[in-house]
Amino acid sequence: MPSNYLTIGIIVDESETGEFNTLLHKIIGHLQKQLKKNFPQFKWVFSFLKRKDFPTSIPLDPLELLEFGASLKLDYNLDFALVFTSLPLKSRFNQIVNAVPSNMLETAVISMARIIEEDTNKQVHGLLALCKHVLGHLWGLEHNANSVMQPHHIWTSAHKLSWSKEEKKHILSYLKDIADPRLEETSKGLKLSAFLFYLHVLKREGISILRDILLFRSWLMMLRLGKFTVATAISIIFLFLSAEAWEMGAAICPFWLNIGIGIILLAATLSLYFGQNLHKVAKSEKIKEQSVRSKLVLFGTLFIGITIFWLNLFLISTIIIYLLPQKILVGWAGIKNNLPIFHFGKIMATFGILASALGGNLEEAQDIKAVLFYTEET
């Protein structure tokens, strides 16, 4: 497809009513007109996919629909996918959820259940605002009280319907990268091995991948993983009360400790990544740039989240060690000099990460995926 084409898949259940489909086509028609007006540099193509294998659990799990939509996005070589349903969505983090975008998967789930009950004018305006809000998140925008990116739980005709000038500039820059020919569509990409394919994607899109990793606020990731955090806290408490841990810490060379920290952070990330089968996300029969990019963003988000978690553990451990009676700690460590507080802070944080990797694998896979995949619940 030419480089200025952008394709958005509209995925719906084949069993949806005629009224639902009529309203949806009306919304998409308005959306396409506005996108053409705001971004005339691109040719906007919307593809409707009616599926017999649409997930049917009630309430629908947005995570299941995101993975379903992301898979179809790859199968049909789409740039983005919007999964629409007339049924309510299962909420994980908020009381009410109308839509769940995933910048990582370039896919969003939108429920029309609450809005479809309004009158026609409110339906069209509210759904259009919701769609543009969701697309904004897919294209890397944050919340903004002065545009359609203002967060809402109930979408009505009273809400803003446009992006700001700054947001449009950001979207244009973002979409130019997406519209470029994919690596597997080039003669060079067809000849690359899987390993070299990953390296080329990282080289081509390294900055945008890093941007998306930061967009996910990796530093907040662990706060939503209860078992992960509890396993870490319990382990550190036992470590602080164990003389053996202090003796081991005194015997570890600072140089090798610093090297070991990097290895353990990577090992903990790999443990969660493969232990929770996250490598199977965005899976495709053929290696594709979109799939590789999603996996790189996912792995990077997980690694940065664990690294920042280690930094928090190091800071907390260092403060606790400073406040504890030094004479007792020196005796446990079996050293004659003053206690190297930062050294032992690193020790405790590193042991905590080892425990947290185990705790992370005790988490339900669906919960970890939701934390990683969801950009937000709106």
Side-chain angles (χ1 to χ4, degrees), residues 31 34-35 38-39 131-133 135-136 139 141 147-149 161-165 167-168 171:
L31 181 61
Q34 293 199 15
L35 290 176
N38 290 326
F39 308 105
C131 289
K132 294 185 73 171
H133 182 93
L135 285 174
W139 297 335
L141 295 183
S147 77
V148 73
M149 297 311 296
L161 202 56
S162 62
W163 293 293
S164 67
K165 290 183 179 179
E167 287 172 338
K168 288 178 182 177
I171 291 174

Side-chain angles (χ1 to χ4, degrees), residues 43-329:
K43 300 292 185 182
W44 293 94
V45 179
F46 284 80
S47 299
F48 281 80
L49 302 176
K50 294 186 177 182
R51 303 292 299 188
K52 294 182 179 179
D53 55 344
F54 201 91
T56 56
S57 58
I58 298 177
L60 290 175
D61 188 344
L63 180 61
E64 186 178 359
L65 292 175
L66 283 174
E67 293 190 83
F68 179 69
S71 176
L72 292 175
K73 176 178 69 71
L74 292 172
D75 290 343
Y76 286 88
N77 293 316
L78 304 169
D79 293 305
F80 303 95
L82 300 179
V83 182
F84 285 87
T85 179
S86 61
L87 299 176
L89 298 175
K90 175 183 177 181
S91 176
R92 275 189 168 86
F93 308 116
N94 294 331
Q95 290 185 341
I96 299 173
V97 56
N98 297 295
V100 178
S102 173
N103 177 271
M104 184 180 292
L105 299 179
E106 298 172 320
T107 303
V109 178
I110 298 172
S111 170
M112 296 165 59
R114 293 174 61 84
I115 303 176
I116 207 168
E117 297 174 357
E118 304 287 341
D119 62 54
T120 304
N121 291 332
K122 289 184 179 180
Q123 283 179 349
V124 173
H125 190 102
L127 279 170
L128 192 54
L130 178 57
C131 289
K132 294 185 73 171
H133 182 93
V134 164
L135 285 174
H137 281 306
L138 294 189
W139 297 335
L141 295 183
E142 299 276 8
H143 283 146
N144 178 5
N146 299 313
S147 77
V148 73
M149 297 311 296
Q150 183 178 4
H152 292 287
H153 291 302
I154 300 176
W155 296 80
T156 68
S157 58
H159 299 133
K160 294 180 174 63
L161 202 56
S162 62
W163 293 293
S164 67
K165 290 183 179 179
E166 293 74 17
E167 287 172 338
K168 288 178 182 177
K169 289 180 180 178
H170 174 92
I171 291 174
L172 181 60
S173 175
Y174 190 95
L175 293 178
K176 282 181 178 178
D177 292 336
I178 299 296
D180 289 338
R182 300 188 185 105
L183 186 56
E184 69 270 13
E185 297 173 345
T186 65
S187 58
K188 183 178 183 179
L190 293 173
K191 300 175 182 178
L192 295 174
S193 64
F195 177 73
L196 290 177
F197 196 99
Y198 272 79
L199 288 182
H200 275 270
V201 171
L202 194 58
K203 181 181 178 182
R204 282 175 47 149
E205 301 191 42
I207 295 177
S208 66
I209 287 172
L210 180 60
R211 174 196 60 201
D212 288 346
I213 290 172
L214 296 177
L215 181 68
F216 276 90
R217 301 180 185 89
S218 306
W219 50 91
L220 297 176
M221 183 179 69
M222 301 308 167
L223 297 179
R224 287 180 168 176
L225 298 178
K227 294 177 183 177
F228 187 102
T229 307
V230 169
T232 305
I234 293 174
S235 299
I236 288 184
I237 290 172
F238 278 105
L239 285 171
F240 270 100
L241 299 176
S242 171
E244 288 78 8
W246 294 92
E247 290 178 3
M248 184 182 298
I252 296 176
C253 171
F255 173 77
W256 291 112
L257 173 61
N258 292 332
I259 293 177
I261 288 171
I263 295 174
I264 288 172
L265 290 176
L266 180 59
T269 305
L270 289 170
S271 173
L272 287 173
Y273 185 73
F274 289 102
Q276 295 291 350
N277 293 318
L278 298 177
H279 62 291
K280 295 183 179 179
V281 171
K283 190 176 181 181
S284 175
E285 293 182 0
K286 296 180 180 179
I287 187 167
K288 294 186 177 183
E289 183 176 334
Q290 287 175 301
S291 175
V292 169
R293 191 182 187 283
S294 293
K295 291 178 181 178
L296 289 172
V297 172
L298 174 57
F299 187 85
T301 300
L302 195 58
F303 179 76
I304 295 297
I306 289 177
T307 300
I308 293 175
F309 192 51
W310 181 92
L311 290 172
N312 288 329
L313 292 177
F314 168 70
L315 178 61
I316 294 170
S317 297
T318 301
I319 292 173
I320 293 174
I321 292 171
Y322 178 78
L323 295 175
L324 290 175
Q326 299 298 297
K327 290 183 179 180
I328 295 176
L329 299 182

